């Protein structure tokens, strides 16, 4: 399987994973995910969850591909560090007000499942592209 095809599959899984969390929290458990900012209330739905996960996945893939294409030494290790830093920063909005504990927990879990799919999935080296050891006769 090509690296592009494998990374496309990882991206698709990273989009589906937080939607499954949303399905468990909102329709199944009946906890409406809402964020309130003053008088405005934002209902967090499946489509925005999927779109944000897709954008994050494509951005992560793009950064990794750019690092690899530029020949950055240890590109995957650098990318992993950047991805972990972005994950940590993604929790900052969850520390604010305007959401209850259930919404905060569901959103945090969505961030974690996207990272749990993307970080190991995108950084894995393609077995077909790995250098092969020559066999001595």
């Amino acid at each position: 399987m090509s690296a592009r095809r494998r990374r496309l599959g990882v991206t698709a899984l990273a989009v589906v994973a937080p939607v499954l969390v949303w399905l468990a929290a909102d329709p199944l458990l009946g906890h409406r995910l809402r964020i309130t900012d003053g008088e405005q209330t934002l209902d967090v739905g499946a489509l925005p969850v999927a779109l944000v996960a897709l954008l994050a996945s494509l951005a992560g893939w793009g950064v990794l591909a750019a690092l690899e294409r530029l020949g950055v030494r240890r590109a995957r290790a650098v990318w992993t560090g950047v991805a972990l830093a972005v994950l940590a920063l993604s929790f900052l909005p969850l520390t604010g007000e305007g959401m209850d504990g259930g919404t905060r927990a569901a959103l945090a879990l969505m961030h974690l499942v996207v990272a749990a799919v993307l970080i190991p999935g995108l950084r894995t080296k393609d077995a077909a592209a790995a250098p092969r050891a020559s066999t001595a006769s």
Side-chain angles (χ1 to χ4, degrees), residues 7 60 63-65 67-68 71-86 118-120 122-125:
R7 287 179 176 174
V63 169
L64 178 57
L67 289 170
E68 291 171 338
V72 172
R73 187 169 178 223
R74 299 180 45 95
R76 286 179 180 84
V78 170
W79 179 84
T80 301
V82 170
L84 290 171
V86 169
L118 284 181
I119 293 173
L122 290 181
R123 78 179 307 269
T124 302
K125 194 167 189 167

Side-chain angles (χ1 to χ4, degrees), residues 6 11 15 24 30 90 132 136:
R6 183 181 44 75
T11 298
V15 170
S90 77
R132 297 176 189 198

Side-chain angles (χ1 to χ4, degrees), residues 109-123:
L109 186 56
M110 288 179 201
H111 290 220
L112 288 172
V113 298
V114 170
V117 171
L118 284 181
I119 293 173
L122 290 181
R123 78 179 307 269

Side-chain angles (χ1 to χ4, degrees), residues 3-126:
R4 179 176 287 157
R5 183 170 288 186
R6 183 181 44 75
R7 287 179 176 174
L8 184 60
V10 167
T11 298
L13 184 57
V15 170
V16 170
V19 172
L20 293 176
V21 172
W22 178 85
L23 281 169
D26 198 322
L28 291 178
L29 295 177
H31 182 79
R32 177 74 71 202
L33 302 181
R34 289 189 172 140
I35 301 171
T36 305
D37 183 22
E39 294 181 15
Q40 294 184 358
T41 299
L42 170 69
D43 285 322
V44 179
L47 183 60
V49 167
L51 289 175
V52 169
L54 178 62
L55 291 174
S57 300
L58 293 175
W61 182 357
V63 169
L64 178 57
L67 289 170
E68 291 171 338
R69 188 162 295 218
L70 292 171
V72 172
R73 187 169 178 223
R74 299 180 45 95
R76 286 179 180 84
V78 170
W79 179 84
T80 301
V82 170
L84 290 171
V86 169
L87 173 62
L89 290 173
S90 77
F91 288 110
L92 288 178
L94 301 179
T95 63
E97 296 182 20
M99 65 186 90
D100 62 21
T103 297
R104 194 177 320 273
L107 292 174
L109 186 56
M110 288 179 201
H111 290 220
L112 288 172
V113 298
V114 170
V117 171
L118 284 181
I119 293 173
L122 290 181
R123 78 179 307 269
T124 302
K125 194 167 189 167
D126 187 28

